[in-house]
Amino acid sequence: EEWNRMSFTILEFAFNTAPTNEYDGWSDMYSLLELGHTKPGTYIMYDFISEVTELLSKPLDLNSCALVHPYIALHFSHGAIAKTGHHIQDRPKVAAETLQFLKENCFEELKDRPVIYTFFDEIDPDNEDANRAILRQVDASLLSNWKKAWFDAGWNPHIMTLADAQRHPKYSEFMKELEQVVMIGDGTTQARYNQICFIRWLAMASVGGGFMSDYDVFPIKHASALLPLMEGDFTVFDEVPTRGGIPSLMGGTEEGWLRMSFAILDYAFSHEPDPRFKGWSDFVALMELKVNQPESYYINDRVGEVNKLLSNPYNRQVCGEVAPFVALHFSHADIAKSNNELEKRPELAHNTIRFISEYCQEDEPSI
């Protein structure tokens, strides 16, 4: 159905719209591009395929690996081949030699990198509302930017899905209990979102533990700054002072993730929710667990908020403000507090991380 919809959508757009000055006429690519610009939300765009212009502009070496690792495929397009001085007829040879080099020299390097996970599941896939479509594109852009940012910081980033949690042998037991817990937003899509947030903990146990962040949390320091901060079998790196942890960036062993998955679930299952919330989320359960069971997990607060950061123009003062942190959380709440639009989260995150990378490296303290 979606292929049928998009087939007629790009055709009708070209039929009803005059070509821009940039083009003499239409192609499916130009129609798709213009449609994405003029009618956002018509389709979802993930930036997981890279052009090879930069890659082929100089001889391949180990530095080439960093150009390709954030992506899942390479596009050896006519344009890219021409720009790099190769003949079009050599495309098969260039592609084969490039892929052989990458296979022999780059893929092994990933094994030496620590893994960072995030979790994504489409909450309301059948909702065709225009606003929901725009938010889907925001999520897609955030996921693309998240993967690139964590790779650049020395990690091997992976995006988990519901299928990862479902592979855990305790999934059925977990879900049976979870279904009996009243979620914040009961009866709405928010409740499903909060259920998914509980499920991601079990997904982490399923993949063997390690580090997980929300996909709107972006690193500002190298992996080597975060790895030594782990304590015990489970550490939360973000907190509400005097209350407890915020589940935006966490790390733990496989056993730690399994223990904490059931710890927050059991707590929510066996306690009445705070009247202010009228239900549970993993965030609320994690905070309440810390208040009532202080030894349940460690906290090492190294994730910064971006409310004040985004409220003022960037300057070198930013470097001092972010120095204590290893990552920044571009949360819904902070974006709203800074009077920015939620749709701009990917752009705001990208620009902020780029500014810090370019201007604050020499100010970065050792952690």
Side-chain angles (χ1 to χ4, degrees), residues 60 312 362:
L60 296 172
N312 302 295
E362 63 191 61

Side-chain angles (χ1 to χ4, degrees), residues 5 8-10 26 28 30 37-39 55 63 72 88 113 133 138 169 220 222 230 240 245 249 274 281 322 350 367:
R5 177 182 68 84
F8 280 94
T9 298
I10 63 170
W26 289 106
D28 66 336
Y30 295 149
H37 288 309
T38 58
K39 296 184 179 181
L55 184 66
N63 292 323
I72 61 174
I88 294 298
R113 286 173 169 247
V138 172
I220 57 173
H222 191 266
M230 270 289 301
V240 176
L249 177 61
D274 188 310
S281 68
V322 303
H350 173 77
I367 294 181

Side-chain angles (χ1 to χ4, degrees), residues 155-342:
W155 296 84
N156 184 5
H158 286 267
I159 300 172
M160 297 184 297
T161 67
L162 186 60
D164 291 292
Q166 291 171 334
R167 282 191 289 269
H168 198 281
K170 290 185 177 290
Y171 178 76
S172 295
E173 174 188 346
F174 189 86
M175 289 304 299
K176 184 177 179 180
E177 185 171 332
L178 182 63
E179 292 291 348
Q180 299 178 66
V181 176
V182 177
M183 295 290 142
I184 294 175
D186 187 37
T188 69
T189 54
Q190 185 186 10
R192 176 57 181 167
Y193 168 81
N194 285 319
Q195 273 194 335
I196 287 293
C197 287
F198 275 94
I199 293 171
R200 62 181 178 156
W201 294 66
L202 191 65
M204 279 300 298
S206 181
V207 299
F211 291 85
M212 180 180 74
S213 87
D214 288 342
Y215 58 86
D216 56 3
V217 171
F218 288 75
I220 57 173
K221 290 190 174 72
H222 191 266
S224 57
L226 177 57
L227 293 172
L229 302 180
M230 270 289 301
E231 298 180 74
D233 72 349
F234 200 87
T235 303
V236 179
F237 297 101
D238 197 0
E239 73 168 331
V240 176
T242 74
R243 287 303 307 272
I246 301 172
S248 67
L249 177 61
M250 302 174 284
T253 63
E254 179 179 349
E255 295 77 13
W257 277 102
L258 182 60
R259 176 181 66 80
M260 285 298 297
S261 297
F262 278 92
I264 61 172
L265 175 59
D266 291 344
Y267 189 90
F269 177 78
S270 58
H271 291 78
E272 288 294 320
D274 188 310
R276 292 175 298 170
F277 304 123
K278 300 179 181 179
W280 288 100
S281 68
D282 68 331
F283 181 6
V284 174
L286 186 65
M287 287 197 300
E288 293 296 320
L289 183 67
K290 188 65 173 177
V291 171
N292 292 279
Q293 300 177 28
E295 304 301 318
S296 56
Y297 60 90
Y298 290 91
I299 295 179
N300 192 334
D301 188 12
R302 295 304 180 99
V303 176
E305 297 180 349
V306 295
N307 174 19
K308 295 180 181 178
L309 196 64
L310 297 179
S311 299
N312 302 295
Y314 298 141
N315 55 54
R316 291 298 293 267
Q317 184 179 346
V318 167
C319 302
E321 294 173 355
V322 303
F325 306 115
V326 299
L328 298 177
H329 189 189
F330 292 83
S331 65
H332 291 82
D334 273 9
I335 297 297
K337 288 177 184 176
S338 62
N339 295 318
N340 284 287
E341 299 173 0
L342 287 177

Side-chain angles (χ1 to χ4, degrees), residues 79-139:
I81 294 296
K83 287 177 184 176
T84 54
H86 294 86
H87 294 292
I88 294 298
Q89 60 266 31
D90 291 333
R91 272 205 302 171
K93 180 183 177 183
V94 171
E97 291 178 348
T98 302
L99 294 177
Q100 184 63 31
F101 176 89
L102 297 177
K103 181 179 179 180
E104 293 176 354
N105 296 278
C106 299
F107 297 156
E108 285 296 317
E109 187 259 350
L110 284 177
K111 295 180 181 179
D112 298 327
R113 286 173 169 247
V115 178
I116 181 81
Y117 295 93
T118 194
F119 187 97
F120 180 77
D121 184 75
E122 176 59 58
I123 303 300
D124 193 12
D126 298 324
N127 187 342
E128 298 182 359
D129 179 77
N131 289 331
R132 182 61 206 152
I134 292 173
L135 292 178
R136 287 193 186 102
Q137 181 56 58
V138 172
D139 285 338

Side-chain angles (χ1 to χ4, degrees), residues 54-56 58-69 101-102 106:
E54 184 177 2
L55 184 66
L56 299 181
K58 55 186 178 181
L60 296 172
D61 57 26
L62 293 180
N63 292 323
S64 305
C65 300
L67 298 176
V68 302
H69 276 322
F101 176 89
L102 297 177
C106 299

